[in-house]
Amino acid sequence: MRRFFLLFLPALLLTACANAETEAGAVSATVETARTTETAATPTPVPQPGLPYEEIRTVMRYDSDPARPCEGYFTMSQNGLWGLIRADGTEVLPCRASSPVSNCGVADHWIWNAAIDWDTYDAYVEKLGASGDGTLCGGHGGFSYGFFYNLDVAGLDRATLEPAGLYCYRRSTPGQSNPMEQDSMAEELWNFYGEWLPVYSAHLDPEGGEMNWPGPLQESTRGDGSTVRWWYINRDGTGLFPAELDRAGWFFDEALAPVERGGHWAYLDRQGKLATEAVYEPVCDSLHDPQTGEFLAEPYFAAHLQNGYAAVCRQGRWGLLDATGVEVIPCEEDGVAWEGTTLWLRDASGWHQAKLPV
């Protein structure tokens, strides 16, 4: 049975906005040539306008917790409303949504919170299918994978790190927590998420019943007295225990992972050392309004590295970080967008494609 999500599932689809038209193609430069006697001056090209959006962000996919980035698409905003473009700038969905477009995790199912009726919804579904750009998420049961260290495992030695404590939590309807060592998908999960998994320590929630939900994060203390909240566990049973991490992102197969400390973001290497200072601002993902459950437009997470790079923002200015933690494009730009294949930079005339620094 189809759900009527237009009013009652705003976190999945559809709340107000205004249309935005993109100018993806370049405008030919007009050249004025001033001639003197038998001599022509050097032509001066007129600046070409770029894509007119206020923001271009990474699209996040909610089949993982933390969410993971999509490749091949961006979400963009104009007049405070959000749409979807391909990485090359081609419009897929206009700016009519109240929050950034995201992906529910099922194939290319786009969560587009635009206030539209069923006929308009069906028309966009048909258009997306015809162009090969997936479909709209109409609201359905879903899932996401996350990992935690279960402090309630029988016989667990709290003084050491034991692989038996690593659990995979499938957030779904119903959800389920399973020991990673016994999970039938363990090999597939390790291969997909990489050798290092971000985790936190927790007891099982007594209200979870048979579903064994993880309870609240439990802090621990390192030998130097610093606090450990989020940390990383390797498939070989070893761990990284950076101090004072409030949130931690994925490494996947990249050299660095985004981590939050003291309200700002840094990038951690595979030895557990910070490759950057905690100076960056969140640039993607979205929080939910605790009262309405709707997605908010305010970014929530730092960008994960994709093919060796991540867009970063420091004091409101944008740059591009590489796999060594160096800003190969310093944080001096009006905007930077990168989703693993295509780089966009923003200046006074709009967004323009650019080449990666050599």
Side-chain angles (χ1 to χ4, degrees), residues 7-24:
L7 296 177
F8 301 108
L9 289 181
L12 288 178
L13 275 177
L14 320 171
T15 43
C17 86
N19 193 10
E21 236 176 72
T22 64
E23 296 180 37

Side-chain angles (χ1 to χ4, degrees), residues 96-248:
R96 298 182 61 179
S98 59
S99 60
V101 176
S102 56
N103 186 288
C104 74
V106 178
D108 286 326
H109 282 208
W110 306 114
I111 301 174
W112 185 48
N113 298 322
I116 55 178
D117 57 31
W118 280 111
D119 289 339
T120 305
Y121 170 85
D122 290 338
Y124 275 111
V125 168
E126 183 177 355
K127 177 185 176 183
L128 290 169
S131 64
D133 291 300
T135 189
L136 294 179
C137 180
H140 53 78
F143 66 92
S144 66
Y145 290 99
F147 303 90
F148 70 102
Y149 193 72
N150 182 6
L151 298 174
D152 294 330
V153 172
L156 192 70
D157 186 351
R158 299 292 184 87
T160 63
L161 178 59
E162 296 191 20
L166 177 61
Y167 268 54
C168 173
Y169 175 52
R170 289 177 174 83
R171 187 188 303 272
S172 60
T173 307
Q176 186 65 54
S177 295
N178 296 314
M180 192 68 159
E181 286 186 328
Q182 302 173 23
D183 198 300
S184 61
M185 292 183 61
E187 187 67 19
E188 182 179 347
L189 292 170
W190 280 116
N191 290 339
F192 182 80
Y193 287 106
E195 295 181 346
W196 290 104
L197 299 177
V199 297
Y200 61 93
S201 300
H203 296 283
L204 294 179
D205 189 335
E207 297 183 1
E210 295 180 356
M211 292 183 285
N212 297 324
W213 297 327
L217 177 151
Q218 300 294 309
E219 297 180 350
S220 58
T221 303
R222 301 197 320 180
D224 61 3
S226 59
T227 300
V228 174
R229 300 184 185 93
W230 281 85
W231 49 283
Y232 288 85
I233 190 169
N234 194 286
R235 69 186 306 170
D236 65 8
T238 58
L240 300 175
F241 300 95
E244 313 293 346
L245 297 189
D246 299 313
R247 283 179 288 179

Side-chain angles (χ1 to χ4, degrees), residues 236-277:
D236 65 8
T238 58
L240 300 175
F241 300 95
E244 313 293 346
L245 297 189
D246 299 313
R247 283 179 288 179
W250 307 100
F251 277 104
F252 293 114
D253 59 354
E254 302 284 352
L256 306 177
V259 294
E260 185 188 28
R261 175 187 280 181
H264 289 85
W265 289 85
Y267 285 83
L268 188 81
D269 68 21
R270 289 172 173 263
Q271 286 70 51
K273 298 179 180 179
L274 292 180
T276 73
E277 296 180 4

Side-chain angles (χ1 to χ4, degrees), residues 306-317:
Q306 293 177 268
N307 293 327
Y309 298 93
V312 290
C313 183
R314 177 164 46 86
Q315 296 181 336
R317 306 297 292 172

Side-chain angles (χ1 to χ4, degrees), residues 1 39 69-70 90 129 204 226 248 262 327 358:
M1 181 178 70
T39 305
C70 291
T90 303
L204 294 179
S226 59
E327 292 179 6
V358 177

